[in-house]
Amino acid sequence: MSSYKLSKSIYYLGTGLLALSFVIPLVWALVSSVSPAAGTAQAEGYGLGNYVKLFTYGAGLPLYLKNSLVISAVCVLVTLVVSTTGGYAFARFSFPFKNALFVLVLSIMMVPYAALLIPLIVWMKDLGMANSLVGVGLVLALFQLPFSVFMMRNAFAALPRDLEDAALIDGCGSFTAFTRILLPSVLPSLVTIGLFSYLAAWNDFMVSLYLLGMDNSPLPLALVNMRQQTIGVIDYGLTTAGVVVLTVPAFILFLALQRYYIKGMTSGAVKG
């Protein structure tokens, strides 16, 4: 066997094992959620008893999913709008202290999550946004902005200025050139930061724990409360069913947009 074939075989073996390490826990959670287990809603035989219990647990699964969706939508929308306009400004315009301001934005990524979380929670309560889904979305968006601005700045900087100049010569205004010419050109980077912010918001537990009450819980916070003990036994069937429901939307979204995600990571993240 040639060295090329050997290295290729090792590569495929390594990537295959890495893929299995990610897939096996998901498959285990799916199988466990429908398997019979004492102390769960699916005590005998395989079935969807845990999912039926999950649907009616507490305030109901639809409400928890709606809360998670609202938080994720706010986080993604704010992240996309602010990072796109901010990245465009850093890439195309010259203004005083531009480089210093850009470094300041990036420096936020070096501050520990917990160090910013407590002051932000106090601030949101002072603004009357405690127990607010929008408030949680705004806080989560703030943590996504430094990386997102960095991505979009590099994505816009990688575009030739001639592209924008040609649109202006053809009669487009600055806003029209931005929305119709430049934004479609950086679509992979937009999808990348959108996916990052969505996953961060969809899976968030810490911010929701501090800012939201039980009547306004997203699904990750509700899952923790589902781990009730019945005669000393944790209801793992209900918990794994919740994990599956929480994972499926993110899994489908990532598979649908992975070609944009991969292109965005390899272009906008390293050029500029």
Side-chain angles (χ1 to χ4, degrees):
M1 180 181 294
S2 65
S3 59
Y4 172 76
K5 290 184 178 180
L6 179 61
S7 60
K8 194 173 182 180
S9 300
I10 294 175
Y11 169 77
Y12 283 122
L13 177 62
T15 54
L17 292 175
L18 183 63
L20 283 176
S21 68
F22 286 100
V23 171
I24 288 176
L26 298 177
V27 174
W28 176 86
L30 178 61
V31 173
S32 298
S33 66
V34 297
S35 299
T40 68
Q42 191 64 39
E44 296 181 0
Y46 291 88
L48 302 177
N50 291 316
Y51 291 93
V52 174
K53 184 178 180 180
L54 175 66
F55 191 85
T56 58
Y57 173 84
L61 179 62
L63 178 62
Y64 299 137
L65 287 175
K66 186 214 67 166
N67 292 342
S68 292
L69 184 60
V70 170
I71 293 173
S72 300
V74 172
C75 180
V76 171
L77 180 62
V78 172
T79 301
L80 287 176
V81 172
V82 176
S83 63
T84 300
T85 53
Y88 178 70
F90 280 120
R92 286 291 192 257
F93 300 113
S94 295
F95 50 87
F97 308 108
K98 182 179 80 169
N99 293 332
L101 182 58
F102 185 64
V103 171
L104 180 62
V105 171
L106 294 183
S107 66
I108 299 176
M109 291 191 294
M110 296 184 287
V111 180
Y113 183 89
L116 293 176
L117 184 58
I118 301 302
L120 282 172
I121 290 172
V122 174
W123 185 32
M124 297 304 290
K125 289 182 178 179
D126 291 340
L127 293 174
M129 302 192 73
N131 200 28
S132 168
L133 297 175
V134 175
V136 173
L138 291 175
V139 171
L140 291 170
L142 178 63
F143 290 116
Q144 299 303 310
L145 285 177
F147 173 76
S148 300
V149 170
F150 171 76
M151 285 282 296
M152 295 312 301
R153 180 257 187 191
N154 288 352
F156 283 116
L159 297 178
R161 286 184 177 270
D162 294 342
L163 188 65
E164 188 176 1
D165 293 339
L168 296 175
I169 293 173
D170 289 340
C172 291
S174 298
F175 181 76
T176 303
F178 176 72
T179 55
R180 295 190 177 182
I181 305 299
L182 298 182
L183 283 184
S185 301
V186 296
L187 180 61
S189 295
L190 286 172
V191 172
T192 300
I193 64 175
L195 276 174
F196 266 73
S197 57
Y198 163 76
L199 292 174
W202 185 258
N203 295 317
D204 173 71
F205 169 77
M206 188 64 68
V207 178
S208 300
L209 176 65
Y210 281 95
L211 276 181
L212 297 178
M214 294 313 302
D215 58 329
N216 224 11
S217 298
L219 186 54
L221 187 56
L223 280 178
V224 175
N225 298 311
M226 291 176 188
R227 292 187 48 139
Q228 297 177 349
Q229 294 190 359
T230 305
I231 319 178
V233 179
I234 297 176
D235 193 344
Y236 286 109
L238 183 63
T239 303
T240 53
V243 169
V244 171
V245 172
L246 186 66
T247 304
V248 167
F251 187 72
I252 293 176
L253 190 62
F254 179 80
L255 288 180
L257 300 175
Q258 63 174 326
R259 63 190 182 98
Y260 295 105
Y261 168 77
I262 294 172
K263 187 176 180 181
M265 288 298 294
T266 56
S267 61
V270 297
K271 292 183 180 179

